Amino acid sequence: KTTQKEEPMRPLFIVADDHPLYRDGVVASLKESGMFEICGAGASADEAIELVRTHCPDIALLDISMPGGGIRAAEAIAAMDVATKTIMLTVSERDDDIMRALEAGASGYVLKGVGGDELAEVLSRVSSGSSYVTPSLAARLLVTMSRPRSRDGTGLASLTSREEKILRLVAEGMSNKEIGLKLNLQEKTVKHYMTGILQKLAVRNRVEAAVLAREEWGRT
């Protein structure tokens, strides 16, 4: 008697974009990858919020400029009692859009010129707890970040050995869970360390912390 192996659950996603042709192309590309399952598509912020409320997907792909605004949708989703991660999929390269999206809780910021395989890889990384900003925008993100970090003892130089190890792993794209396994720490302990790291670096989220670390340590 043979038993069939159960396939692992694939992450669920929704996409909200008011351009049907592009939206359908994203859905088809991600379904073709075999890595994700679509559970809804919409054309506005209100529809995105309702889809998340109904389906609790792992990922919500949002267009910034759709009716109602993708950033408003991201803020509303972040306020819900769900584990959904939001990714902005947009043509906007404006610095203020990037910063507002990250402040709204977005885990990723991806430009619409991305290829299907790369988009699937980004979603995979974000669904496992990492964050992502299109590389061409990451350096510009540094320019808009306030950086008087070393004058009062804050900044990278003030990190403890443990904090530095954790931040280096964050900069490599590891999630809190992966870092915990690598350093033999509980995930909640890693989260506690991350809170301290963000305060010392005077940044608002792990994306900014990772960008800063890669920029500074990449030059040494």
Side-chain angles (χ1 to χ4, degrees):
K1 193 176 181 179
T2 57
T3 56
Q4 263 191 329
K5 257 190 175 179
E6 282 189 21
E7 284 188 21
M9 292 285 289
R10 287 177 288 193
L12 299 174
F13 77 96
I14 63 113
V15 57
D17 191 300
D18 58 327
H19 293 89
L21 193 60
Y22 183 80
R23 186 178 66 232
D24 292 348
V26 168
V27 170
S29 177
L30 291 176
K31 285 176 71 175
E32 188 178 326
S33 75
M35 298 167 62
F36 306 93
E37 289 287 347
I38 175 75
C39 61
S44 68
D46 288 340
E47 289 181 8
I49 293 165
E50 188 55 38
L51 284 168
V52 170
R53 186 177 288 118
T54 301
H55 299 288
C56 298
D58 299 286
I59 296 171
L61 277 167
L62 308 173
D63 176 38
I64 278 186
S65 58
M66 65 183 170
I71 290 174
R72 182 175 74 82
E75 289 172 338
I77 292 167
M80 292 183 196
D81 187 21
V82 294
T84 302
K85 297 177 173 67
T86 55
I87 297 176
M88 295 298 168
L89 186 58
T90 176
V91 296
S92 175
E93 298 185 42
R94 290 164 46 115
D95 293 342
D96 59 340
D97 279 343
I98 302 169
M99 297 304 296
R100 285 170 58 222
L102 297 177
E103 288 168 9
S107 297
Y109 197 97
V110 185
L111 295 179
K112 282 189 173 180
V114 68
D117 290 344
E118 188 178 348
L119 180 60
E121 177 61 27
V122 170
L123 263 67
S124 180
R125 287 169 58 180
V126 169
S127 67
S128 68
S130 297
S131 52
Y132 180 88
V133 175
T134 293
S136 62
L137 302 178
R140 282 173 44 189
L141 181 60
L142 284 166
V143 178
T144 59
M145 290 160 54
S146 57
R147 299 183 62 186
R149 297 180 177 92
S150 57
R151 294 181 184 174
D152 57 358
T154 60
L156 292 172
S158 70
L159 298 181
T160 65
S161 174
R162 174 72 79 184
E163 288 170 340
E164 181 178 328
K165 282 180 184 175
I166 289 172
L167 182 56
R168 287 185 182 276
L169 295 176
V170 168
E172 289 175 16
M174 285 194 181
S175 66
N176 288 341
K177 184 176 181 180
E178 291 169 331
I179 293 169
L181 290 171
K182 187 172 182 66
L183 299 181
N184 197 28
L185 296 170
Q186 290 188 3
E187 187 175 355
K188 64 181 181 181
T189 303
V190 177
K191 287 180 182 177
H192 175 74
Y193 275 116
M194 277 306 302
T195 299
I197 291 168
L198 297 183
Q199 289 174 347
K200 286 184 177 182
L201 299 185
V203 295
R204 287 159 286 201
N205 51 58
R206 65 192 289 127
V207 176
E208 290 185 8
V211 170
L212 176 64
R214 285 194 290 263
E215 171 72 10
E216 295 296 329
W217 287 332
R219 294 187 290 191
T220 59

